């Protein structure tokens, strides 16, 4: 089951937050499919009241259990965290957020796609969902948002998991590469199988076949009259990326006072030396790496990912 909760983000942008839980054994009530084709941009899925309202208890952990906010990376969506959220749901209240411009959250063309806006959205989610002080788990762009939130609002964040995100600036060349990469996408894709094959095998950026990468991108497509297209606007993704590729974020890492775990995939984008330097800069930093995983750590190796973060989460959430 996936339960949707509305959140109002910075500037009034409508955001979709999701709680994922295993379907009940005897309840035949309909559930929201996780596949990206379930609803396109701007389409409303089933909604649920905010915590504290009628029926707010829902499935999984209750509103007073330790809260976890999960933040996906650029081009991702909340459903990419479904496996992690379900794993956590037995003991903790885990909510994944579709960030602005992503998933089923609003994608206004003139909205701010700045670091400040993304962090303010995450702050609003923790406040409105009653999760704080929460553990915030972020992948890539979501990890940067997570540590910026922890630096800005230490009262809202009790622990932090940073998954495969660099603190160093990536630079203008990286942005140009991404602009060129978007032009190579053979959209619209005729089928989801074509999506999986292109992103998992044929994409020039793929060094070796990666079924997990193909699945990751299949989940961010929706069906249009002419075929399958991304649920996001590539221009908005580039605008979002602009707000961090030109600047380093070491100073904000140093301001994070809560326990923080830096996790990298052995073949990911965050190198070991930089990851260990991030741990050194963090006042209460810890380090973990996942073998045979690339950038999409929690997607590539879900069991190893859980094994890497579980001791940290147990210590922060129940210690």
């Amino acid at each position: 089951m996936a339960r949707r909760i509305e959140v109002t983000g910075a500037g009034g942008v409508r955001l979709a937050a999701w709680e994922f839980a295993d379907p009940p054994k005897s309840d035949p009530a309909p559930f929201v499919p996780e596949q990206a084709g379930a609803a396109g941009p701007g389409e409303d899925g089933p909604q649920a009241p905010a915590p504290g309202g009628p029926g707010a208890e829902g499935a999984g952990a209750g509103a007073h259990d330790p809260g976890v906010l999960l933040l996906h990376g650029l081009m991702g969506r909340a459903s990419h965290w479904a496996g992690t959220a379900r794993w956590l749901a037995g003991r903790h209240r885990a909510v994944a957020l579709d960030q602005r411009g992503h998933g089923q959250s609003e994608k206004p063309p003139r909205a701010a796609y700045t670091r400040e806006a993304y962090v303010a959205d995450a702050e609003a989610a923790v406040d409105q969902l009653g999760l704080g002080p929460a553990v915030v788990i972020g992948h890539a762009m979501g990890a940067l948002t997570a540590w910026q939130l922890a630096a800005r609002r230490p009262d809202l964040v009790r622990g932090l998991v940073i998954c495969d995100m660099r603190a160093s600036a990536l630079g203008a060349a990286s942005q140009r590469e991404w602009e060129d990469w978007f032009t190579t996408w053979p959209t619209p894709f005729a089928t989801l199988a074509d999506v999986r094959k292109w992103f998992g095998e044929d994409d020039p950026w793929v060094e070796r076949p990666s079924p997990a990468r193909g699945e990751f991108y299949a989940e961010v497509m929706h069906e249009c009259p002419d075929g399958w297209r991304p649920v996001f606007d590539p221009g908005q993704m580039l605008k979002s990326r602009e707000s961090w590729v030109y600047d380093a974020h070491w100073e904000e890492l140093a301001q994070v006072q809560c326990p923080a775990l830096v996790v990298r995939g052995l073949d990911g984008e965050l190198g070991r030396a930089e990851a260990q330097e991030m741990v050194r800069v963090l006042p209460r930093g810890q380090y973990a790496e996942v073998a045979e995983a690339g950038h999409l750590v929690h997607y590539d190796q879900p069991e190893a990912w859980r094994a890497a973060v579980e001791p940290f989460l147990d210590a922060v959430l129940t210690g």
Side-chain angles (χ1 to χ4, degrees), residues 7 29 54 56 83 88 94 127 137 178 193-194 197 203 216 240 280 313 319:
V7 172
L88 292 168
D127 274 336
I137 301 175
W178 274 67
D194 293 328
K197 184 176 186 302
D203 182 351
F216 183 95
S240 299
R280 190 193 67 79
L313 294 177

Side-chain angles (χ1 to χ4, degrees), residues 126-195:
V126 174
D127 274 336
Q128 293 172 34
L129 298 174
L131 295 173
V135 169
V136 185
I137 301 175
H139 173 247
M141 178 190 76
L144 175 57
T145 299
W147 87 63
Q148 290 180 315
L149 174 63
R152 176 190 293 187
R153 290 291 308 272
D155 57 311
L156 291 184
V157 184
R158 71 165 76 187
L160 179 65
V161 178
I162 297 168
C163 181
D164 218 65
M165 180 62 184
R166 299 180 61 184
S168 299
L170 303 182
S174 173
Q175 189 74 346
R176 289 193 296 271
E177 288 173 358
W178 274 67
E179 291 172 356
D180 293 342
W181 178 54
F182 276 128
T183 67
T184 69
W185 290 23
T187 52
F189 293 92
T191 69
L192 282 178
D194 293 328
V195 174

Side-chain angles (χ1 to χ4, degrees), residues 1 5 34 49 59 66 110 149 151 184 193 230 245 271 288 300 307:
M1 291 182 65
I5 310 168
E34 291 165 36
R110 286 178 292 278
L149 174 63
T184 69
V245 296
D300 284 348

Side-chain angles (χ1 to χ4, degrees), residues 290-307:
V290 178
E292 299 182 12
H295 178 58
L296 306 174
V297 182
H298 54 299
Y299 236 64
D300 284 348
Q301 299 292 337
E303 292 183 7
W305 153 256
R306 294 171 196 171

